[in-house]
Amino acid sequence: VRPESAPYLWGGVVTLAALNAAWSLLGSRRLASQRAFVVQVAGDVAALGWLIHHAGGLQNPFASFFVFHAAIAAVALEARQARKIAIAIAGFVLALAAVEASVLPPDCLLRNAESACSAGVDWLFHLAAGAAVAAMVVGCAFIVVALVRVLRAERERLAQVTSTLVTRAEELTVVKTQVQQEQEQLQTIIDRMADAVIYVTPDGIVRLRNRAAQQFWPKGVRADGDPKNLHPPEEWMRLIEKASVQKAGELHPIFQVNSRSYEFSYAR
């Protein structure tokens, strides 16, 4: 840029710094509303327009930075408000292009140190550049709004699924607690019985027993495994067969374990 443009550019930088300092002093709570957000975007857009005007106008490649404000608004605000802000930014760009092409030409942007500024501004080309920037602002804003809408819908769906899973997990926890309580009550009841009580699955695995049934297992051996590993397999398999298929005339068969005979009753 020309040396004469430096004071104006530094003025824009100082203005941006002052705006950011003011936002920081106000705090995030006071800036949480949509109105405060619009004020922030307006201040940034005005400062950017000032900088662009004194650095070659809308023909400066940095003029595309107007898109960032519209994209941020599309992410942070509702779709309707974000579209309004994008259209307002595009209107500001078009107004700036019209002013620069007519009554207030921008400072020229030098290609090198020896080049000189042109005598005038190509107003048609300048308006075309402004229209291109405005169209890019609106187009990008509408695209981001559509993408954000899809992402928000997906986030709501995930939140609903998560809520459903949490509810199901709580229900399962309650049911599990109830089952544990019922199992503890059942265990307490059968533990107080004098007779040995054993529940065995069809494959011969013990799932439930009481204290009186401990005599069928050697000391120090857990009784939650396969009893065939502790006693003669043929005796246990005979017991399983008797319990699986009821036979008339043998309601109380005799069962031998470790040279001792036991009379037992069974039910499938």
Side-chain angles (χ1 to χ4, degrees), residues 210-235:
N210 64 350
R211 295 176 182 176
Q214 184 61 38
Q215 58 183 319
F216 293 104
W217 280 267
K219 293 182 179 180
V221 177
R222 297 177 59 185
D224 56 355
D226 191 341
K228 298 193 299 294
N229 298 330
L230 304 175
H231 300 288
E234 62 276 4
E235 297 290 343

Short mmCIF file of all heavy atoms in Angstrom, two decimals, residues 210-235:
data_model
loop_
_atom_site.label_atom_id
_atom_site.label_comp_id
_atom_site.label_asym_id
_atom_site.label_seq_id
_atom_site.Cartn_x
_atom_site.Cartn_y
_atom_site.Cartn_z
N ASN A 210 -27.98 -74.71 49.00
CA ASN A 210 -28.07 -74.14 50.34
C ASN A 210 -26.93 -74.68 51.21
O ASN A 210 -26.10 -75.49 50.76
CB ASN A 210 -29.43 -74.42 50.96
CG ASN A 210 -29.67 -75.91 51.16
OD1 ASN A 210 -28.91 -76.74 50.68
ND2 ASN A 210 -30.74 -76.26 51.87
N ARG A 211 -26.91 -74.24 52.45
CA ARG A 211 -25.81 -74.63 53.33
C ARG A 211 -25.81 -76.13 53.61
O ARG A 211 -24.75 -76.74 53.76
CB ARG A 211 -25.91 -73.85 54.64
CG ARG A 211 -25.71 -72.35 54.45
CD ARG A 211 -25.93 -71.61 55.76
NE ARG A 211 -25.79 -70.15 55.56
CZ ARG A 211 -26.01 -69.26 56.50
NH1 ARG A 211 -26.39 -69.66 57.73
NH2 ARG A 211 -25.87 -67.98 56.23
N ALA A 212 -27.00 -76.71 53.73
CA ALA A 212 -27.08 -78.14 54.01
C ALA A 212 -26.50 -78.98 52.88
O ALA A 212 -26.09 -80.13 53.10
CB ALA A 212 -28.52 -78.54 54.29
N ALA A 213 -26.47 -78.42 51.67
CA ALA A 213 -25.93 -79.18 50.53
C ALA A 213 -24.42 -79.15 50.48
O ALA A 213 -23.82 -79.82 49.63
CB ALA A 213 -26.50 -78.63 49.23
N GLN A 214 -23.78 -78.40 51.36
CA GLN A 214 -22.33 -78.30 51.34
C GLN A 214 -21.67 -79.64 51.63
O GLN A 214 -20.52 -79.86 51.25
CB GLN A 214 -21.87 -77.26 52.36
CG GLN A 214 -20.36 -77.00 52.36
CD GLN A 214 -19.86 -76.46 51.03
OE1 GLN A 214 -20.53 -75.66 50.40
NE2 GLN A 214 -18.68 -76.92 50.61
N GLN A 215 -22.40 -80.55 52.31
CA GLN A 215 -21.80 -81.84 52.66
C GLN A 215 -21.46 -82.67 51.42
O GLN A 215 -20.69 -83.62 51.50
CB GLN A 215 -22.78 -82.63 53.54
CG GLN A 215 -24.12 -82.86 52.88
CD GLN A 215 -25.11 -83.56 53.80
OE1 GLN A 215 -24.72 -84.48 54.52
NE2 GLN A 215 -26.37 -83.12 53.78
N PHE A 216 -22.05 -82.35 50.29
CA PHE A 216 -21.76 -83.10 49.07
C PHE A 216 -20.46 -82.67 48.41
O PHE A 216 -20.04 -83.27 47.43
CB PHE A 216 -22.90 -82.96 48.07
CG PHE A 216 -24.17 -83.62 48.51
CD1 PHE A 216 -25.23 -82.88 49.00
CD2 PHE A 216 -24.30 -85.00 48.48
CE1 PHE A 216 -26.40 -83.47 49.42
CE2 PHE A 216 -25.47 -85.61 48.90
CZ PHE A 216 -26.52 -84.85 49.38
N TRP A 217 -19.84 -81.61 48.93
CA TRP A 217 -18.59 -81.13 48.37
C TRP A 217 -17.49 -81.18 49.42
O TRP A 217 -17.75 -80.87 50.60
CB TRP A 217 -18.74 -79.69 47.87
CG TRP A 217 -19.41 -79.59 46.53
CD1 TRP A 217 -18.82 -79.55 45.33
CD2 TRP A 217 -20.82 -79.54 46.30
NE1 TRP A 217 -19.76 -79.48 44.34
CE2 TRP A 217 -21.01 -79.46 44.91
CE3 TRP A 217 -21.96 -79.56 47.13
CZ2 TRP A 217 -22.26 -79.41 44.31
CZ3 TRP A 217 -23.21 -79.50 46.54
CH2 TRP A 217 -23.35 -79.43 45.15
N PRO A 218 -16.31 -81.53 49.02
CA PRO A 218 -15.20 -81.53 49.98
C PRO A 218 -14.94 -80.13 50.52
O PRO A 218 -15.32 -79.13 49.91
CB PRO A 218 -14.02 -82.05 49.16
CG PRO A 218 -14.63 -82.76 48.00
CD PRO A 218 -15.91 -82.05 47.71
N LYS A 219 -14.27 -80.04 51.65
CA LYS A 219 -13.98 -78.74 52.25
C LYS A 219 -13.03 -77.93 51.35
O LYS A 219 -12.07 -78.47 50.81
CB LYS A 219 -13.34 -78.92 53.62
CG LYS A 219 -14.29 -79.53 54.65
CD LYS A 219 -13.61 -79.64 56.00
CE LYS A 219 -14.56 -80.22 57.05
NZ LYS A 219 -13.93 -80.33 58.38
N GLY A 220 -13.30 -76.63 51.23
CA GLY A 220 -12.46 -75.75 50.44
C GLY A 220 -12.73 -75.77 48.95
O GLY A 220 -12.02 -75.12 48.19
N VAL A 221 -13.75 -76.53 48.51
CA VAL A 221 -14.07 -76.61 47.09
C VAL A 221 -15.36 -75.84 46.84
O VAL A 221 -16.35 -76.04 47.55
CB VAL A 221 -14.22 -78.08 46.64
CG1 VAL A 221 -14.62 -78.14 45.17
CG2 VAL A 221 -12.93 -78.83 46.87
N ARG A 222 -15.35 -74.97 45.85
CA ARG A 222 -16.54 -74.19 45.51
C ARG A 222 -17.59 -75.09 44.89
O ARG A 222 -17.27 -76.02 44.14
CB ARG A 222 -16.19 -73.05 44.55
CG ARG A 222 -15.23 -72.02 45.14
CD ARG A 222 -14.88 -70.96 44.11
NE ARG A 222 -16.11 -70.28 43.63
CZ ARG A 222 -16.10 -69.38 42.65
NH1 ARG A 222 -14.97 -69.07 42.05
NH2 ARG A 222 -17.23 -68.80 42.28
N ALA A 223 -18.83 -74.83 45.22
CA ALA A 223 -19.92 -75.67 44.76
C ALA A 223 -20.69 -75.06 43.60
O ALA A 223 -21.85 -75.34 43.40
CB ALA A 223 -20.87 -75.96 45.91
N ASP A 224 -20.04 -74.16 42.86
CA ASP A 224 -20.73 -73.53 41.74
C ASP A 224 -20.26 -74.06 40.40
O ASP A 224 -20.50 -73.45 39.36
CB ASP A 224 -20.54 -72.01 41.79
CG ASP A 224 -19.07 -71.62 41.81
OD1 ASP A 224 -18.22 -72.54 41.88
OD2 ASP A 224 -18.77 -70.41 41.75
N GLY A 225 -19.56 -75.19 40.42
CA GLY A 225 -19.07 -75.76 39.17
C GLY A 225 -19.80 -77.02 38.79
O GLY A 225 -20.95 -77.23 39.16
N ASP A 226 -19.12 -77.86 38.08
CA ASP A 226 -19.71 -79.11 37.62
C ASP A 226 -19.48 -80.18 38.69
O ASP A 226 -18.34 -80.53 38.99
CB ASP A 226 -19.05 -79.53 36.30
CG ASP A 226 -19.79 -80.66 35.63
OD1 ASP A 226 -20.56 -81.35 36.34
OD2 ASP A 226 -19.60 -80.87 34.43
N PRO A 227 -20.54 -80.74 39.28
CA PRO A 227 -20.35 -81.76 40.33
C PRO A 227 -19.73 -83.04 39.81
O PRO A 227 -19.20 -83.83 40.59
CB PRO A 227 -21.77 -82.00 40.85
CG PRO A 227 -22.66 -81.56 39.73
CD PRO A 227 -21.95 -80.45 39.06
N LYS A 228 -19.76 -83.27 38.51
CA LYS A 228 -19.14 -84.48 37.97
C LYS A 228 -17.64 -84.49 38.18
O LYS A 228 -16.99 -85.54 38.13
CB LYS A 228 -19.45 -84.62 36.48
CG LYS A 228 -20.95 -84.77 36.15
CD LYS A 228 -21.18 -85.22 34.73
CE LYS A 228 -20.64 -84.23 33.73
NZ LYS A 228 -21.39 -82.97 33.79
N ASN A 229 -17.05 -83.28 38.40
CA ASN A 229 -15.61 -83.21 38.64
C ASN A 229 -15.24 -83.55 40.07
O ASN A 229 -14.06 -83.70 40.39
CB ASN A 229 -15.11 -81.81 38.31
CG ASN A 229 -15.31 -81.46 36.85
OD1 ASN A 229 -15.28 -82.34 35.99
ND2 ASN A 229 -15.53 -80.19 36.57
N LEU A 230 -16.23 -83.64 40.95
CA LEU A 230 -15.98 -83.91 42.36
C LEU A 230 -16.39 -85.31 42.78
O LEU A 230 -15.87 -85.84 43.76
CB LEU A 230 -16.72 -82.87 43.23
CG LEU A 230 -16.40 -81.41 42.93
CD1 LEU A 230 -17.29 -80.51 43.77
CD2 LEU A 230 -14.93 -81.12 43.21
N HIS A 231 -17.34 -85.89 42.09
CA HIS A 231 -17.88 -87.19 42.47
C HIS A 231 -17.95 -88.07 41.22
O HIS A 231 -17.76 -87.59 40.10
CB HIS A 231 -19.26 -87.05 43.11
CG HIS A 231 -19.23 -86.22 44.36
ND1 HIS A 231 -18.68 -86.65 45.53
CD2 HIS A 231 -19.66 -84.95 44.60
CE1 HIS A 231 -18.79 -85.71 46.46
NE2 HIS A 231 -19.37 -84.66 45.91
N PRO A 232 -18.23 -89.35 41.37
CA PRO A 232 -18.30 -90.25 40.21
C PRO A 232 -19.25 -89.73 39.15
O PRO A 232 -20.42 -89.44 39.46
CB PRO A 232 -18.79 -91.56 40.83
CG PRO A 232 -18.31 -91.51 42.23
CD PRO A 232 -18.40 -90.07 42.64
N PRO A 233 -18.80 -89.55 37.94
CA PRO A 233 -19.66 -88.98 36.90
C PRO A 233 -20.93 -89.79 36.67
O PRO A 233 -21.99 -89.21 36.41
CB PRO A 233 -18.75 -88.99 35.67
CG PRO A 233 -17.36 -89.04 36.20
CD PRO A 233 -17.44 -89.84 37.46
N GLU A 234 -20.82 -91.12 36.75
CA GLU A 234 -22.00 -91.93 36.46
C GLU A 234 -23.12 -91.70 37.48
O GLU A 234 -24.30 -91.73 37.14
CB GLU A 234 -21.64 -93.41 36.41
CG GLU A 234 -21.09 -93.99 37.72
CD GLU A 234 -19.60 -93.74 37.87
OE1 GLU A 234 -19.04 -93.06 36.99
OE2 GLU A 234 -19.02 -94.23 38.85
N GLU A 235 -22.74 -91.40 38.74
CA GLU A 235 -23.76 -91.14 39.74
C GLU A 235 -24.51 -89.84 39.45
O GLU A 235 -25.74 -89.77 39.56
CB GLU A 235 -23.11 -91.08 41.13
CG GLU A 235 -22.46 -92.37 41.58
CD GLU A 235 -23.50 -93.44 41.88
OE1 GLU A 235 -24.69 -93.08 42.04
OE2 GLU A 235 -23.14 -94.63 41.93
#
